[in-house]
């Protein structure tokens, strides 16, 4: 197949305008060309709504628990519920922080 002058000009234009890849011994040009473009895998608004809903549910659960606990008599059930809610709250906080750090919002 013979290349026309338009093909040659187009190829030269692509070579000039494409960003240069840094040299890295672990990646060859073929591997780098096959990598997908970096993009946001999930819409930001869905994550924000889910995070707000989780905060509302956690605040409501803590308010319900603290209003119904009898401070004069603490049972094993109260301790188990407290530890469960504390661990879910800590996990939610850590998951929120990690996802906000790892994503470009």
């Amino acid at each position: 197949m013979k290349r026309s002058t338009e093909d040659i000009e187009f190829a030269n234009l692509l070579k000039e305008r494409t960003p240069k890849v840094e040299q890295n011994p672990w990646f060859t040009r073929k591997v780098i060309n096959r990598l997908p473009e970096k993009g946001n895998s999930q819409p930001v608004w869905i994550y924000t709504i889910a995070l707000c809903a989780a905060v509302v549910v956690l605040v409501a659960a803590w308010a319900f628990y603290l209003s119904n606990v009898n401070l004069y008599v603490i049972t094993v059930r109260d301790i188990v519920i407290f530890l469960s809610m504390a661990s879910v709250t800590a996990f939610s906080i850590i998951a929120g922080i990690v996802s906000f750090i790892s994503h470009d919002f």
Side-chain angles (χ1 to χ4, degrees), residues 31-98:
V31 171
I32 291 175
N33 288 338
R34 290 185 183 190
L35 292 175
E37 290 186 23
K38 185 177 181 181
N40 218 352
S41 61
Q42 53 181 297
V44 175
W45 63 273
I46 292 176
Y47 182 76
T48 305
I49 290 173
L51 186 61
C52 291
V55 167
V56 168
V57 168
L58 280 172
V59 168
W62 275 108
F64 180 76
Y65 171 73
L66 293 175
S67 66
N68 290 329
V69 70
N70 184 358
L71 296 178
Y72 298 109
V73 179
I74 296 177
T75 63
V76 173
R77 178 179 172 263
D78 293 334
I79 294 171
V80 169
I81 292 173
F82 175 79
L83 292 175
S84 300
M85 288 180 55
S87 62
V88 168
T89 303
F91 175 78
S92 300
I93 290 171
I94 291 170
I97 291 171
V98 166

